[in-house]
Structures are given as C-alpha cells and as structure tokens.
Amino acid sequence: MRALYFAIIVALAACQPTAAPDPFPAADAPRAADAMEAARTHVAANEQAIVDELRALLALPNVASNPADIRANAAALVAMLERRGVEARILETGEAPVSVFGQLDTPGATRTLLFYAHFDGQPVGPPEQWATPPFTPTLRNGRLEDGGQIVPWNAATYPLPDEARIYARSASDDKSPIVAVLAAIDALRAANIPLSANLKFFLEGEEEAGSPNLARTLETHREALAADLWIFGDGPIDPRGLPRVVLGVRGVASFRITVYGAAGGLHSGHYGNVAPNPGARLAHLIASMRAPDGTILVEGMDAEAPSQAALALAREGFDSEGMLAGPAIHATESGLSYGESILRPSLNVTQLNYGGAGAQRNAIDAEASAGFDIRLTPGLTPDEARAAVERHLRAQGYELVDAAPAPDQRRAHARLARLEWDELGYASAVAPLDHPGVRRVVGVLRAATNDEVRVAPILGGSLPIAPIGEVLGAPFVIAPIVNADNNQHAPNENVRMREFRRGVELYAALLAEGGAW
C-alpha cells in the first residue's frame, strides 16, 4: 500500500506546469463557463433567499452525540432536497444516528455522481469562547479577529460584501457546501443547463463522531449509494484563495493513556522523591513517543520517505506561508513546508489531565492522563498503530491494566498504565489517479478556473473515505469551497461570502460537466 501511495504521489507531480505529459489537462468542458455564469446570475438575484436557507439550517443544533438534533437536521435536509425535486429520505441503520439520501435522475445520463457532506458538527465547547452563540447565525462585516462588526440581519443589504462572514457551528463544516450545491442545481435549472450525470446525495449524521456506523450504513444501503464517483464537499480551499482539489486524506486513530501512582493523593513534601509522580512520568512517556520536531519515535509507526518528486508536489500544492500566517505560527514544528509535513503521520497530544482545576496544590496526584490522536498516512493502518503503541508502552516498563489498579497491583508493579483506544477511526485513502472520473473532475475544475485550481495529493485532516472504498469500491475526489480561515472545529466557526459564492459557481460547473466521461 505504501508503494502504491508514493507511486501515485510521484505521478501527481506530472501535473506541474514544467512536466509533460500532463495527466490532468484542462478538460474540454464547453458548458463550464456557461454554468458558472448562470450561478453568478442566480446568486446575484436570489442571495437573500439562499442565505436565509443557510441561516435556518445553521440554527439547528447538530452535535453528533444528540440523536434527536441529528434527526431534526435530517428532516430539514430532506425538505430542502425535495424542494428541488430530489427524491429524498432519511436513512436508518439500527440505532445509529440517521443520514440523508437523495436521488435526482438526469434523462440520458450514463454516469452517476454522488455528493457527500456531513451535517453533524463538533461539540461547541465552553460557550464563553464564542463571541456569539454557536447556533445563532451571526453576520459580521469582516473577520472577527480583525475587528469585524456584527451586522443585524434586518439591516443587511444584498448582495452581501465579499468580506462578510456568517458565524455559527458548521457554517463551513459542512452546511455551507450542502446549501451551495443545492443553489448550483437551482442556477442550472434557471438557465436550462442540464446536469451531466445522475446525481445522488449522501449526507452523513455522525462524521464528527468518527463515523463508527458508516461501514454498516454503506452495507445496509449499498444499492442506493452505488455511484461512479463520489464528490466530497468537506475541507478548506487554499489559503491564497485559490480553488483546490484533493486526491487523498490522512486517516485517524485516537487513544488515551492513564499513568498511575500511589492509591491516593499525597503531600509533595512528605512523598516527593518517594512516591511515583504520574504527571512527570506521563511527560517522560510523551517525550519517548514523539521528538521535538514531531517525528514519531514509536517503533512500527515510521513511514516510507516520499520521493523528491512527491516532495516537490507537496511544496507547490500548498500555501505553506499562508497556513502558518493565519493561526500565527512562527514555523512548522517539523521544520519542513506544510505540504511536506502532512505527508508524514503525526502523533498529536490533544488533552492533558493532572492536578485538577483551580489553584496549584502541593500534592502528588494518584494518576495523570493524556489524550492523543494519530493522523495516519497510507501504509499505516489503525490496527498497526494500536499494536505499535501498546508495544511501546510495554517497552517503557509499563504493565498495562484494564481499569484503575487495586492497591496490591500498585505494590506489585513499578509502572502501571491504562491504554484506551477510541473505537472510532479509519485508515487513510488515496484516489485512483488513472480513473477517468477523477481525471474528468480535475480537468473540469482546471478549465473552469483557468488553471488556478491547486491539486493537493493529500489533505491534512481526515475524512471517512476508506470505508467507502472498502465497502463500495467507489473512487472519489474532494472539492472543497470554504475559506481556509474558517475556524473549523473551533469556536467562532465561519464562512466568508466570497468563497461561498465561488463555491456555488464551481459546483455548477462540476454538475454541468463533471459526469461527461
């Protein structure tokens, strides 16, 4: 698998302007320009209605752990699809959170495109971290961090300024792409431009919970979800504002380590240098797992070094400077460019718990814990990562336990730890470079953007694409539309109108020409 991945990366390097032949030439897509113009015209005439539809969807709480809220979102999406004449229904899979399916047949079409997005959202976190309530969509005349001011909706003037942003949970991830593709359908109909393929929708309701039931859902609804190509609307565009198409994703696996000391908290004076210090031991353990530059030190989790051609593509395909400037990062931890960095698997510390909240205490607590995630690159599976981490803990002298240890266990073993893996997670995935549908979509986007589109070999984040390939064997392309500085997964998530409008245009071009291969 690793060899295949890096072979694909090498081949992708040929899409640079100096290479020949070009595997992704701009497609012969005569209707792309007309479709984009139709989208511009439609949005200009109907922007308030489009924004109102997005506002109504964003006002629905959608944290994946609340099934009732997910079902309410699903019902709203079914109604939105049906308003476009899409045959839509809620997909049930046992006790799993519901998803939404839609189908729109096109007379004479020989291909079927399936649009994927998720409508569930990340937990909102502490409410005080949000400038405005996460499920009260709020319009600002610019970026919050740059002093953007609230514009009351009843005072908004349409068309909204390009720099205007809508703030709400899931504004970018993924409710805006859903509304954008529906607006694209409306625009093509208004201009009498037919779709180039049958169109299906799979809108997932538990992606932010790790898609634990996705494979089962795909199996249960295999026939309905069959398609020639899946188009994903998730992820951000290039920070330079350039459109992007992505042909791979990193996988993810998450776990927690709890390190144990004495049976209870102890006075740090009476027991300092006597009792094991779980906080210090956890710090040493983390340091044994990852180097200061982020390199994973756990044996069995190393990745094959990419070729020089792959590295060149990664450098060109990403705006490294922009990816650092937005969140005010001095330099990459790895010392490499952004693109080179995400070609490597990463081990991330996501949570640290020791000592409790409030004022510092002169005490040695009984335990310390940390949360981690691993972003997997092709060639490293979740099972391989789990086995490697377990071996590493044992090699560091830890006896692994399944629960908080009893006093006799503490007396019998010098080092005790509990390793808990999240059941969620999935492998990385790479699109087949030679698939005609993949080549067609990239070619259409190149034609539609006058070669502005950037082809990225892999996305730094993770999407549940691997289960789709494993169950359905479906190829995919990721066509994101939202601004890179959208605060995805964080407080004050937002979407900027400039990118949203451009997204409607690009989706219109894809719908009009993407299925013609």
Side-chain angles (χ1 to χ4, degrees):
M1 180 66 170
R2 291 179 184 171
L4 173 61
Y5 168 57
F6 288 105
I8 290 173
I9 295 296
V10 171
L12 278 171
C15 70
Q16 299 305 301
T18 57
D22 187 346
F24 291 132
D28 180 14
R31 293 185 300 167
D34 290 343
M36 294 182 74
E37 180 60 34
R40 280 190 289 273
T41 300
H42 176 78
V43 172
N46 298 279
E47 184 169 287
Q48 183 170 359
I50 295 169
V51 169
D52 284 348
E53 186 171 47
L54 176 59
R55 286 175 57 196
L57 188 59
L58 292 174
L60 298 175
N62 67 335
V63 177
S65 59
N66 190 325
D69 285 347
I70 294 303
R71 188 172 288 274
N73 277 263
L77 288 165
V78 166
M80 291 165 64
L81 290 166
E82 288 178 339
R83 284 199 292 272
R84 277 82 183 181
V86 179
E87 182 182 338
R89 67 181 188 271
I90 289 176
L91 295 184
E92 306 269 3
T93 308
E95 298 301 317
V98 296
S99 295
V100 171
F101 172 76
Q103 182 168 345
L104 183 62
D105 291 334
T106 299
T110 60
R111 305 291 181 188
T112 298
L113 303 178
L114 188 149
F115 179 81
Y116 169 97
H118 65 86
F119 60 88
D120 64 314
Q122 280 279 317
V124 297
E128 63 271 14
Q129 294 184 5
W130 286 78
T132 51
F135 297 113
T136 301
T138 303
L139 178 66
R140 291 182 180 270
N141 60 9
R143 185 170 176 258
L144 171 66
E145 293 83 353
D146 296 331
Q149 299 298 305
I150 293 175
V151 178
W153 286 109
N154 60 9
T157 301
Y158 295 88
L160 297 172
D162 280 351
E163 293 302 315
R165 298 185 185 223
I166 301 172
Y167 282 79
R169 173 54 87 222
S170 297
S172 59
D173 184 29
D174 273 344
K175 289 185 175 180
S176 283
I178 295 172
V179 174
V181 77
L182 296 181
I185 293 172
D186 294 338
L188 293 177
R189 282 184 174 159
N192 294 315
I193 299 174
L195 302 182
S196 60
N198 300 314
L199 183 61
K200 292 183 178 181
F201 294 85
F202 178 62
L203 308 178
E204 190 184 358
E206 59 170 358
E207 193 272 346
E208 297 294 9
S211 301
N213 295 287
L214 178 58
R216 191 156 57 101
T217 298
L218 298 174
E219 288 281 7
T220 301
H221 306 284
R222 175 188 292 270
E223 184 175 349
L225 296 173
D228 293 292
L229 182 73
W230 285 48
I231 298 176
F232 282 71
D234 208 332
I237 66 167
D238 189 279
R240 293 166 288 198
L242 300 173
R244 169 185 285 169
V245 59
V246 187
L247 302 179
V249 291
R250 295 201 286 187
V252 64
S254 303
F255 63 98
R256 173 170 294 278
I257 296 174
T258 304
V259 173
Y260 297 99
L266 297 170
H267 190 289
S268 62
H270 297 320
Y271 281 93
N273 294 342
V274 176
N277 188 306
R281 285 191 169 178
L282 181 60
H284 286 294
L285 189 55
I286 293 172
S288 76
M289 298 172 71
R290 70 189 309 276
D293 68 353
T295 299
I296 300 176
L297 303 176
V298 178
E299 187 175 350
M301 288 177 57
D302 55 320
E304 181 180 338
S307 69
Q308 290 303 311
L311 295 174
L313 174 64
R315 294 185 194 108
E316 293 297 323
F318 294 95
D319 175 17
S320 189
E321 182 178 344
M323 292 299 291
L324 302 183
I329 298 172
H330 171 69
T332 63
E333 184 181 52
S334 67
L336 305 171
S337 70
Y338 176 85
E340 293 171 290
S341 297
I342 65 170
L343 288 177
R344 306 164 58 184
S346 65
L347 175 62
N348 306 300
V349 180
T350 56
Q351 189 180 50
L352 289 168
N353 292 320
Y354 182 69
Q360 180 175 333
R361 301 175 295 118
N362 293 328
I364 301 171
D365 276 9
E367 62 182 60
S369 69
F372 301 81
D373 75 35
I374 305 168
R375 297 294 168 158
L376 307 161
T377 51
L380 179 61
T381 68
D383 287 343
E384 289 171 338
R386 293 185 187 106
V389 171
E390 182 173 334
R391 287 195 305 269
H392 184 81
L393 265 61
R394 294 188 188 278
Q396 299 301 307
Y398 282 90
E399 179 74 15
L400 299 185
V401 295
D402 295 327
D408 59 337
Q409 289 178 291
R410 296 175 193 265
R411 287 190 291 265
H413 300 281
R415 295 173 181 264
L416 291 167
R418 184 179 184 184
L419 177 58
E420 301 171 273
W421 285 92
D422 196 327
E423 293 182 4
L424 315 177
Y426 37 80
S428 57
V430 178
L433 178 65
D434 58 352
H435 190 278
V438 173
R439 294 164 63 95
R440 177 65 182 178
V441 166
V442 179
V444 168
L445 287 174
R446 290 188 67 173
T449 64
N450 294 319
D451 277 344
E452 283 188 342
V453 68
R454 290 294 177 266
V455 180
I458 198 166
L459 189 69
S462 302
L463 290 172
I465 296 178
I468 296 167
E470 292 165 2
V471 176
L472 300 178
F476 70 93
V477 171
I478 305 169
I481 65 165
V482 300
N483 44 297
D485 59 348
N486 63 67
N487 294 338
Q488 182 177 352
H489 288 196
N492 303 313
E493 182 178 351
N494 66 88
V495 63
R496 184 165 54 185
M497 286 303 300
R498 179 170 61 201
E499 283 76 14
F500 178 78
R501 292 192 191 98
R502 186 77 183 281
V504 177
E505 296 174 18
L506 292 177
Y507 283 159
L510 281 183
L511 294 179
E513 289 283 8
W517 79 84

